Amino acid sequence: MRRILPTAVAISVGFIVLLDFFIENPYTRAFRSVFTEWAMVVAAFALVLGAINVLTFHLVRIGEGRDVVYSLVLISVMFLITTFGILGGPRNFLVSWIFNYVQFPIQSTIFSLLAFFVASAAYRAFRARTWESALLLAVGTIVLLGQAPVGAFLREHLPAIKSWLLEVPGMAGARGIILGVALGTVATGIRILLGIDRPYGEE
Amino acid sequence: MEVILDILGKSRISEDQALMLVFLLLFLPLMNFFVLWVRSGRKVSLRPIQAFSSIRHLFGRAVESGKPLHLSLGIRGVGGGETATTLAGIVVLDYLAEKAAIYDAPPFITVADPTLLPIAQDSLRRAYARQAYPEGYDPTRVRFIAPEPTAYAAGVIGAFEREGIEFNVMVGAFGDEYLLMGETGAKKGISQIVGTNDPGALSFAIASAEHVLIGEEIFASGAYLSSLHEHIGSLLAQDWMRLLIIAFIIIGVILKSV
């Protein structure tokens, strides 16, 4: 029963939602709306589980005496934001201020480091040790020069070559990947819909 | 073509819906046929994909060295547009969990979406239960870091340092933030295998990881790692559907050009 019930529920819900994609029926539409709402509620509960997981991990670390200061800061801020959020709502001044002037700048700072990481990764990838790396280096150089104003100054055809590289072989490769991913996605969906894959219950 | 569009117009089915219906009606019997074909004991040879054999090898090295293997399931969860990609990561987790339960060397798993937390914990729990060793299951091996991609990346980088990670497997949906983790791992000399479906993140993965699962290859995890008949059958159906699509594209190009 522990195996059959979750599978039956998953297959039924999946088929109703899929059916609603193909036919216009008020009943299937109503069922789909209800299931979507339930999914959102379940996801919200999952966030509570996530918060408990984070809290447990940092409390254990404090208990073990490892990185106590960082864990204390995290737990304090977590409680502070949660309390202000619950009392004053998500548009509360303090919550908005922390998001706008602490969290977003920190995220932007971390993301801005990406440029240096790209340079470092490109250096490793472009070392012409194999013919593939040499080709990558050549194409990368053309695209880089074609993208910059200096490219047109050096060779007038460079921007056109860059555009061709991006729009023809580059786009063809990307579309091939996307097509394959779409096929894989459909196959995964069908396996779950037919109950072949059951990531939700006992075997 | 006009006749088809006219019929569709009268039946109130849009072109997208009709295309999807035709696709499903072709795919479903094809997949069932190949699943039954594989189940009947036919030998299927899959082309070698280095990344899958490296995952096995990496796990072996992690067990021998006693160093933890980190598994990232990407920055998305189940319920959104990247559910299938995330589930591909879960298949890799199932494989590693099974091996972990045998050798009692659980991987260190990080998730960015809280919906994956109970799924990942359940995968580990079930694997230990199957090996009749439920007391070996440790739910703290799965960690929720943060739902924000950059915060998740920062958390994983911290974990590389703190947990002494030497082996890293990342399969799921990733964006540009992947490079923050992948490049840090590469600089620290961590052996890395990455699989994702985003062409942008793939270019970063190729630059920083030893082996990469490109796009649809991540959906072949069940067939390659666990040799599941259903997954091998579905892989064969995918290949035939791809050939069909390629044929349609070529015919379309010819018809349009003539």
Side-chain angles (χ1 to χ4, degrees), chain B residues 31-249:
Chain B
M31 194 174 124
N32 278 324
F33 167 76
F34 279 118
V35 168
L36 293 174
W37 197 67
V38 176
R39 273 183 189 165
S40 70
R42 303 289 176 106
K43 271 274 181 200
V44 178
S45 68
L46 303 171
R47 76 175 168 91
I49 296 179
Q50 187 65 42
F52 286 121
S53 38
S54 292
I55 289 178
R56 289 196 195 97
H57 183 62
L58 227 58
F59 180 78
R61 279 169 60 197
V63 171
E64 278 175 17
S65 66
K67 298 275 184 185
L69 181 145
H70 170 252
L71 173 68
S72 166
L73 297 174
I75 55 160
R76 301 274 179 261
V78 290
E82 296 284 2
T83 301
T85 313
T86 306
L87 289 174
I90 300 280
V91 174
V92 176
L93 166 62
D94 286 340
Y95 168 79
L96 289 174
E98 200 65 50
K99 296 285 173 195
I102 296 169
Y103 297 101
D104 195 21
F108 176 68
I109 305 150
T110 57
V111 298
D113 190 290
T115 54
L116 286 181
L117 186 67
I119 296 175
Q121 285 177 331
D122 194 48
S123 172
L124 265 186
R125 184 191 61 77
R126 280 189 286 158
Y128 274 91
R130 273 195 297 272
Q131 297 303 322
Y133 182 41
E135 61 275 19
Y137 162 63
D138 176 8
T140 61
R141 298 301 296 177
V142 185
R143 266 193 63 200
F144 166 67
I145 296 205
E148 190 60 42
T150 43
Y152 173 72
V156 170
I157 292 169
F160 283 168
E161 195 68 55
R162 277 192 307 274
E163 309 290 334
I165 303 289
E166 287 198 7
F167 312 99
N168 182 27
V169 178
M170 304 173 94
V171 180
F174 292 99
D176 293 342
E177 77 294 328
Y178 158 77
L179 193 62
L180 298 171
M181 301 176 272
E183 187 55 18
T184 305
K187 277 186 177 161
K188 291 178 78 66
I190 295 172
S191 302
Q192 303 193 106
I193 296 164
V194 179
T196 189
N197 59 353
D198 182 77
L202 273 170
S203 57
F204 292 149
I206 287 165
S208 59
E210 285 171 22
H211 299 291
V212 180
L213 292 167
I214 299 171
E216 64 183 305
E217 287 176 352
I218 60 171
F219 298 107
S221 314
Y224 277 83
L225 291 173
S226 309
S227 302
L228 300 169
H229 289 165
E230 295 79 10
H231 285 243
I232 296 172
S234 121
L235 203 59
L236 292 171
Q238 274 171 254
D239 278 347
W240 279 96
M241 285 304 289
R242 186 194 348 271
L243 287 175
L244 202 66
I245 291 170
I246 292 169
F248 272 121
I249 291 173

Side-chain angles (χ1 to χ4, degrees), chain A residues 14-143:
Chain A
F15 266 108
I16 291 169
V17 175
L18 186 68
L19 202 64
D20 184 62
F21 178 76
F22 291 115
I23 60 164
E24 275 188 37
N25 182 289
Y27 294 107
T28 55
R29 184 59 44 92
F31 273 119
R32 195 195 70 174
S33 303
V34 169
F35 293 145
T36 313
E37 276 174 34
W38 285 359
M40 276 152 57
V41 173
V42 170
F45 273 102
L47 195 62
V48 176
L49 286 179
I52 292 170
N53 182 277
V54 171
L55 201 61
T56 312
F57 173 77
H58 286 280
L59 286 174
V60 168
R61 275 215 317 190
I62 291 170
E64 290 172 353
R66 290 191 293 139
D67 294 330
V68 176
V69 178
Y70 295 129
S71 293
L72 276 176
V73 169
L74 186 136
I75 291 171
S76 315
V77 173
M78 197 170 149
F79 270 107
L80 197 75
I81 301 279
T82 310
T83 311
F84 280 111
I86 289 169
L87 294 177
R91 293 187 192 283
N92 173 282
F93 169 74
L94 194 70
V95 174
S96 305
W97 190 89
I98 290 173
F99 267 91
N100 291 332
Y101 298 106
V102 180
Q103 188 174 344
F104 292 149
I106 288 175
Q107 280 176 9
S108 307
T109 309
I110 294 174
F111 222 78
S112 65
L113 293 172
L114 208 60
F116 301 101
F117 282 81
V118 169
S120 156
Y123 171 73
R124 195 177 321 101
F126 286 171
R127 273 183 295 182
R129 286 185 298 193
T130 59
W131 73 267
E132 288 109 326
S133 315
L135 187 68
L136 196 69
L137 175 65
V139 172
T141 310
I142 292 169
V143 171

